[in-house]
């Protein structure tokens, strides 16, 4: 839903990942647009987009898609934090390919603040360097939420009591990079939610499988941690790109030097949860954004957002939303710890 801006020829030659990193600006601009048009509330996003007031608004179709995915993932995250409350446990959230996401600041502004034990954001070093600079800019106000923070790794990493910004290439073997990056900050004992918002699709299926397996192993019983925390995952990305729509999308992206190797094993909605069941997850489910918009958003919200701007292309909207899905999966560390996590997931709203 965020077509990247084309990379020029010299960038293509010298830095094949520039176009992938550019997708972060596209996602941030889409969010900023949805906020300015009144779809979403986010008082932090403008601090992470240079010259925010001068940025063009995105078309209604993009604003609607951004709203639906954002609402659905917010709900999954908030529910995860809510479920951990009766357990008396703090949660960890790890956002992989976090880019300019503002979720940490939004959560710290709301009722789930006390539930967050640690929040990690991982991305390419260039992206984390830019984000660390924005956070440390006193005019952004972002560092107030963090309290005392320290830069590390030449300004590419930032640590505070709860928030950690970590630079890496997620395609590298996690066993080589994660122990040094997470150090002792990531605990195997706490319920932990992984967020993959539009990132796995840029990686090979082998690299994303190795990445997920590293977390599965980290949250498996060991002599040090006989009862590890429950592991949750949410993934937002495109799928089913083998049809005419998908071929056009792939060609457009290829012209902009972006390929989607991670989309290949996912020709259908059913194939999305299978990714997690293969890694031994206890439960997994996926829904298209079209289904979420129709059946999982409160009718009053649907009415409110539909009245924000004229959306002529309803068929086109539905076609696009049918090619994006949100998957969520949960892995309990033992049969005794399945409850209450089995409750976790999007629930359809009651139709009037
Ligand atoms: C489409 S953006 C999404 C950003 C954010 N998750 C959101 O939804 O707003 C994809 C992000 O994944 C990051 N990314 C993609 N491949 C990566 C990799 N191999 N290692 C680290 N980050 C990666 C990009 O730099 C970019 O910030």
């Amino acid at each position: 839903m965020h077509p990247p801006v084309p990379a020029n020829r010299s960038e293509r030659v010298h830095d094949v990942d520039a176009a992938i990193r550019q997708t972060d600006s596209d996602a941030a601009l889409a969010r900023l647009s949805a906020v300015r048009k009144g779809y979403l509330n986010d008082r932090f996003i403008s601090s992470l987009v240079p010259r925010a007031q001068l940025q063009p608004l995105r078309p209604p179709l993009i604003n609607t898609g951004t709203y639906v995915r954002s609402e659905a993932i917010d709900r999954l995250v908030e529910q995860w934090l809510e479920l951990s409350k009766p357990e008396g446990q703090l949660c960890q959230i790890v956002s992989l390919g976090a880019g300019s996401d503002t979720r940490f600041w939004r959560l710290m502004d709301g009722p789930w603040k006390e539930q967050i034990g640690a929040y990690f954001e991982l991305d390419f070093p260039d992206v984390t360097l830019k984000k660390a600079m924005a956070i440390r800019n006193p005019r952004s106000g972002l560092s107030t939420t963090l309290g005392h923070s320290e830069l590390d790794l030449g300004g590419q990493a930032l640590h505070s009591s709860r928030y950690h910004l970590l630079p890496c290439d997620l395609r590298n073997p996690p066993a080589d990079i994660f122990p040094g990056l997470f150090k002792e900050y990531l605990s195997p004992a706490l319920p932990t939610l992984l967020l993959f918002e539009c990132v796995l699709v840029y990686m090979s299926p082998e690299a994303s499988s190795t990445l997920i397996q590293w977390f599965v192993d980290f949250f498996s019983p060991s002599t040090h941690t006989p009862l590890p925390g429950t592991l949750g995952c949410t993934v937002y990305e495109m799928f089913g790109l083998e049809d005419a729509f998908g071929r056009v999308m792939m060609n457009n992206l290829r012209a902009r030097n972006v390929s989607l190797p991670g989309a290949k094993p996912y020709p259908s909605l059913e194939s999305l949860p299978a990714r997690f069941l293969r890694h031994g997850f206890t439960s997994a489910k996926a829904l298209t954004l079209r289904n979420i918009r129709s059946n999982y958003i409160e009718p009053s919200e649907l009415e409110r957002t539909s009245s924000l701007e004229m959306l002529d292309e309803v068929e086109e909207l539905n076609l696009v939303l049918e090619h994006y899905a949100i998957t969520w999966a949960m892995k309990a560390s033992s049969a005794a710890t399945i409850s209450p996590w089995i409750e976790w997931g999007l629930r359809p709203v009651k139709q009037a």
Side-chain angles (χ1 to χ4, degrees):
M1 224 167 284
H2 317 113
V5 170
N8 67 34
R9 214 186 113 64
S10 59
E11 266 180 334
R12 260 204 304 272
V13 173
H14 295 299
D15 185 353
V16 287
D17 292 335
I20 300 180
R21 290 196 304 271
Q22 178 65 37
T23 64
D24 172 45
S25 307
D26 299 318
L29 285 179
R31 184 163 186 86
L32 178 70
S33 171
V35 169
R36 280 171 55 194
K37 287 304 279 184
Y39 289 83
L40 297 170
N41 269 322
D42 184 344
R43 67 187 180 88
F44 303 104
I45 186 65
S46 56
S47 302
L48 290 166
V49 176
R51 298 180 299 282
Q53 286 317 312
L54 302 178
Q55 298 300 338
L57 293 169
R58 307 302 307 272
L61 188 153
I62 304 273
N63 290 333
T64 304
T66 303
Y67 166 76
V68 177
R69 73 119 151 182
S70 183
E71 272 298 296
I73 296 177
D74 281 356
R75 218 179 293 161
L76 285 167
V77 172
E78 290 164 4
Q79 208 188 4
W80 183 270
L81 293 169
E82 191 65 37
L83 285 172
S84 70
K85 245 188 210 170
E87 305 290 288
Q89 280 189 312
L90 298 180
C91 282
Q92 298 176 127
I93 297 180
V94 185
S95 175
L96 299 113
S100 304
D101 193 21
T102 56
R103 182 165 283 105
F104 170 73
W105 286 269
R106 288 184 281 124
L107 286 172
M108 292 296 286
D109 229 12
W112 291 277
K113 173 182 172 177
E114 299 307 330
Q115 281 307 107
I116 300 173
Y119 198 108
F120 301 87
E121 292 196 319
L122 280 65
D123 210 300
F124 283 122
D126 285 23
V127 176
T128 58
L129 180 73
K130 251 181 26 195
K131 190 162 190 173
M133 280 165 64
I135 293 171
R136 296 281 284 212
N137 179 347
R139 277 179 299 160
S140 75
L142 296 172
S143 58
T144 318
T145 308
L146 266 51
H148 176 71
S149 66
E150 273 176 22
L151 292 173
D152 194 9
L153 303 177
Q156 293 171 347
L158 185 148
H159 296 280
S160 71
S161 58
R162 282 191 240 198
Y163 173 83
H164 306 271
L165 181 62
L166 307 174
C168 66
D169 182 340
L170 295 167
R171 295 165 300 190
N172 288 333
D176 293 351
I177 55 171
F178 280 177
L181 266 188
F182 284 121
K183 299 194 177 109
E184 73 288 0
Y185 301 123
L186 183 70
S187 161
L190 296 180
T192 299
L193 181 57
L194 310 181
L195 305 178
F196 296 100
E197 272 189 82
C198 214
V199 57
L200 293 177
V201 78
Y202 301 112
M203 300 167 55
S204 71
E206 296 74 28
S208 52
S209 174
T210 309
L211 183 58
I212 293 169
Q213 189 59 42
W214 186 87
F215 285 101
V216 167
D217 294 341
F218 189 80
F219 289 93
S220 291
S222 67
T223 35
H224 283 121
T225 317
L227 207 60
T230 300
L231 183 62
C233 272
T234 70
V235 177
Y236 159 73
E237 65 191 21
M238 337 41 168
F239 75 100
L241 301 185
E242 283 166 9
D243 61 7
F245 173 93
R247 279 192 294 277
V248 172
M249 183 198 252
M250 291 286 225
N251 285 339
N252 289 344
L253 289 171
R254 208 167 295 127
R256 293 161 176 156
N257 207 26
V258 175
S259 64
L260 304 178
K264 196 146 184 57
Y266 304 104
S268 64
L269 188 66
E270 298 69 42
S271 59
L272 293 169
R275 156 190 265 159
F276 291 103
L277 299 174
R278 271 196 301 277
H279 285 281
F281 276 68
T282 316
S283 63
K285 182 160 170 115
L287 293 171
T288 64
L289 287 201
R290 180 177 179 179
N291 187 357
I292 294 174
R293 181 168 188 263
S294 305
N295 301 305
Y296 292 74
I297 303 274
E298 286 297 334
S300 57
E301 264 297 277
L302 206 52
E303 203 177 300
R304 182 188 73 79
T305 50
S306 301
S307 68
L308 289 174
E309 51 189 341
M310 194 69 179
L311 182 73
D312 293 327
E313 334 85 352
V314 176
E315 274 182 26
E316 196 188 341
L317 172 72
N318 285 336
L319 184 66
V320 174
L321 297 188
E322 270 167 16
H323 284 84
Y324 285 82
I326 290 180
T327 310
W328 65 95
M330 180 277 289
K331 188 175 184 302
S333 54
S334 74
T337 57
I338 287 182
S339 171
W341 303 102
I342 200 73
E343 300 294 317
W344 182 56
L346 296 177
R347 300 270 169 268
V349 294
K350 292 197 175 58
Q351 299 298 334

